[in-house]
Amino acid sequence: MKAWAEDQLIAGSIITFLADTRCEFTRAIGMCMDHPQPLGELGNVRCKRFVLLVENGIVSHVEVSEAPDDPAGDKDPQGPITRKTRVEHILELLKN
């Protein structure tokens, strides 16, 4: 996660990248992908494409990119499903 943060030029910022290698947190908040297509292709449980905005331990926003025909939320990187978790949308939420 440290290398990813450095690559994304956010190391040392207010953004924290966290790993959930056993999907414990992901399961606890209901963010495991349960669609058979990604599960069959990837072979193990993966988390949905989501963003939680949390301040002082309180979740203010939950954004999930998924649809029946796009369970991984990445079919169209510029489309409305993926937009929910793209940085531009998240920055809009942070302004409010």
Side-chain angles (χ1 to χ4, degrees):
M1 298 309 293
K2 181 180 175 187
W4 188 21
E6 289 171 359
D7 179 68
Q8 297 301 304
L9 305 176
I10 61 112
S13 75
I14 63 169
I15 298 170
T16 303
F17 283 8
L18 302 171
D20 183 22
T21 57
R22 295 185 303 231
C23 288
E24 293 168 320
F25 178 74
T26 304
R27 278 190 183 92
I29 63 169
M31 289 294 170
C32 288
M33 250 192 278
D34 57 5
H35 191 280
Q37 180 186 2
L39 199 57
E41 290 177 12
L42 300 171
N44 58 349
V45 175
R46 299 292 177 111
C47 71
K48 297 176 182 182
R49 181 181 302 269
F50 72 96
V51 172
L52 295 178
L53 294 183
V54 182
E55 188 170 354
N56 297 322
I58 298 172
V59 176
S60 60
H61 294 294
V62 178
E63 297 293 322
V64 183
S65 290
E66 69 175 338
D69 67 333
D70 186 9
D74 60 358
K75 189 176 191 178
D76 177 4
Q78 302 303 320
I81 301 303
T82 306
R83 183 187 184 289
K84 295 176 187 177
T85 54
R86 288 182 49 87
V87 68
E88 298 85 0
H89 177 64
I90 302 308
L91 289 173
E92 287 175 22
L93 294 174
L94 288 170
K95 289 179 186 177
N96 297 327

